Structure formats: structure tokens, C-alpha cells
Amino acid sequence: MTIPHTDYIKDILGDRFEQMTLNFPDDYEGQVVATLIRKKTSNPTKKAALYIHGYIAYFFQTEMAEQFNLHGYDFYALDLRKYGRSHLPHQKLYNIHDLNEYDAEISAALDIIGQEVHDQVLLCGHSTGGLITTLF
């Protein structure tokens, strides 16, 4: 399934951080989006890391992205549906019925990362994000 998305634009974190909106079919609250954030290394690489945040969070840890970059990884993070950059006005924050609902945005992000010529992807998460990545 191809997920419609926008092109990358400058992210609120500045300093070479970019974001892309991923659009998904409506759920029980209506429109659903997720946000893919990236910071690429200075040198081309086929290695990438995809970070999933925990509950009541979103991606803002610039130092983490910079460390992955220093170790040769393009860094990506997801603001999951109804969190951070992906929260829409009609949505109740963090409102999902099943953790597997996040599989759609993780799969879409991994597809995009693969299309950007990465053949090694480290999937990592913090707190509930660790549980989500394990279930995925």
C-alpha cells in the first residue's frame, strides 16, 4: 500500500532537520497523519536509524540524532499519530485502541527510508516506543 506523503520541509528543530507528513486513512476520530523527521549525515551512507518515542512524548532529542550521525547513520524519527507534530485539532491526544495501529506509520517510514537507498536500518525506541518496536 502506498501512503501519500508530502516532500520534506524544514523542521522546527532547525540545523539540517527536515520533516515529512505521512497521510493515512481516517480512523474513529477522522483524519490521521504521522510525521517523519530526519537528519542526514554529512557523508553518504546506506545505514539509517529509525527512532520511536515513548508515551506522552514526541521527537525533540537533537543530541541523539547528532550521535547517530557521528557514527555514520542517517537519523529518522517518527512522531506517531496523535502525538507532537502529528496531533490534529480534532483528535484526543494519544488516543489509540491498539498498539498495532502504529504499524502503518512504521511500515511507511521504513519504505521511505529504503527508497532513500538505505539497506541497513536500526529500529529503536524509548519507553513505550521500545514496546511498540518490539511488537512491530
Side-chain angles (χ1 to χ4, degrees):
M1 177 178 177
T2 302
I3 299 299
H5 60 272
T6 61
D7 290 329
Y8 286 102
I9 60 171
K10 185 175 179 84
D11 187 66
I12 58 174
L13 297 175
D15 191 33
R16 295 186 12 243
F17 283 92
E18 300 173 294
Q19 67 166 278
M20 171 191 293
T21 301
L22 309 176
N23 297 286
F24 296 93
D26 291 357
D27 73 359
Y28 33 87
E29 290 187 314
Q31 181 185 7
V32 174
V33 300
T35 308
L36 182 63
I37 301 103
R38 78 174 179 187
K39 185 173 188 206
K40 298 186 78 161
T41 62
S42 299
N43 299 315
T45 182
K46 291 188 173 200
K47 299 187 305 184
L50 175 60
Y51 171 77
I52 310 296
H53 61 76
Y55 186 66
I56 311 178
Y58 60 97
F59 175 70
F60 59 88
Q61 299 89 344
T62 57
E63 298 87 358
M64 182 190 321
E66 290 162 2
Q67 283 299 313
F68 274 100
N69 286 169
L70 286 173
H71 288 88
Y73 287 82
D74 284 338
F75 181 83
Y76 295 80
L78 268 174
D79 271 8
L80 298 169
R81 63 183 66 203
K82 304 176 187 183
Y83 284 85
R85 298 165 185 82
S86 304
H87 178 253
L88 300 174
H90 66 277
Q91 296 171 330
K92 181 177 176 186
L93 283 166
Y94 332 120
N95 183 29
I96 59 153
H97 296 170
D98 186 321
L99 290 176
N100 293 317
E101 291 178 41
Y102 298 130
D103 288 359
E105 49 250 56
I106 295 170
S107 293
L110 290 171
D111 286 347
I112 291 166
I113 292 167
Q115 291 168 17
E116 294 180 2
V117 196
H118 296 94
D119 60 12
Q120 297 178 44
V121 181
L122 172 65
L123 186 58
C124 54
H126 169 74
S127 189
T128 307
L131 174 61
I132 293 165
T133 60
T134 301
L135 290 172
F136 178 79

